Amino acid sequence: MVYYYFDFRDTDKQTRQGLLSSLLVQLASESDACYDILSRLYATHTRGSRRPTDVALTHCLRDMLEQHRQATYIVIDAIDECPNSSGFPTPREKVLEFLEGLIDLQLPHLRICIASRPEVDIRNALESLTSLRVSLHEESGQKQDILDYVTKVVRTDIKMSKWREEDKLLVIKILPENSDGM
C-alpha cells in the first residue's frame, strides 16, 4: 500500500511530480524489482543531476506496477488541495489526467482510493472511471461528528473558557454549518 496526501501547506506536494515521486519511492522500498526500475531511472538521469520529466516518472510507475503483480493499493487524499487556478493545464488538471491514465491501465492487481471534497472538476474527471463512490459530505453522521467535535473543543479549550456564553454558542452553531463536511 502506498499513500499520498496533497498537503495544502506544502506547494511541492500539490503537483503531479510530487505525487509521482512519492509513489515511486514508496513502491521501490517495498520491492527489489521496483527498486531496480527506479535505479534505472536514476541512472538515465545522470545519477540525479537531471530531473526526470513527469512523462519519465509516469513510465517508471507504470513499469513498476506492471512488474509488481501483487495486490497494490494506492490511496490519494485531498486532491482538492491541488491548485486549480493558475497555469494551463493547472496542477490539478495534470493530476486528474495522470489518474485517468493510471485507471485506464486496468491492471487487475491495482486498487486506487481517491479522497477529496466533491468539487465539480474532480467529480467530472473521475465519476465515469469509478467502480464505487462513497460520499460522506452529506451524511448526517458526518455532520453530527463535526458538531460534537466543535462543541467539545469550545467547551474544553482553556482559552475559550473566558469567552462569553453567547459567543461560544455562535461558534457551535456556525462552524459546523459552514464546514462543508470537513
Side-chain angles (χ1 to χ4, degrees), residues 24 57-67 105 107:
L24 291 172
L57 294 173
T58 301
H59 287 297
C60 185
L61 179 64
R62 185 196 64 224
D63 292 346
M64 283 183 177
L65 292 171
E66 288 173 347
Q67 178 74 32
L105 290 175
L107 297 172

Side-chain angles (χ1 to χ4, degrees), residues 15-125:
T15 65
R16 177 173 56 191
Q17 186 151 60
L19 168 64
L20 285 163
S21 298
S22 178
L23 296 179
L24 291 172
V25 168
Q26 290 178 68
L27 285 169
S29 72
E30 296 296 320
S31 156
D32 289 341
C34 290
Y35 178 84
D36 291 342
I37 292 167
L38 184 58
S39 292
R40 283 194 298 274
L41 177 71
Y42 178 75
T44 60
H45 287 81
T46 323
R47 302 220 167 282
S49 66
R50 289 186 306 123
R51 180 177 239 163
T53 65
D54 287 2
V55 171
L57 294 173
T58 301
H59 287 297
C60 185
L61 179 64
R62 185 196 64 224
D63 292 346
M64 283 183 177
L65 292 171
E66 288 173 347
Q67 178 74 32
H68 188 75
R69 297 186 191 273
Q70 296 174 332
T72 304
Y73 297 86
I74 297 176
V75 179
I76 300 171
D77 191 10
I79 291 177
D80 54 285
E81 296 296 344
C82 198
N84 196 32
S85 57
S86 63
F88 183 76
T90 67
R92 187 185 300 174
E93 288 169 334
K94 289 178 181 180
V95 167
L96 292 170
E97 176 186 288
F98 160 72
L99 291 172
E100 289 176 42
L102 187 61
I103 292 166
D104 284 345
L105 290 175
Q106 296 185 348
L107 297 172
H109 59 280
L110 180 61
R111 303 292 180 265
I112 302 170
C113 176
I114 300 170
S116 176
R117 279 179 267 188
E119 296 190 7
V120 174
D121 61 317
I122 296 169
R123 279 196 331 255
N124 289 342

Side-chain angles (χ1 to χ4, degrees), residues 146-160:
I146 293 168
L147 175 61
D148 292 347
Y149 176 78
V150 170
T151 301
K152 181 181 178 189
V153 169
V154 168
R155 297 286 179 213
T156 60
D157 185 89
I158 292 172
K159 291 178 185 174
M160 290 183 188

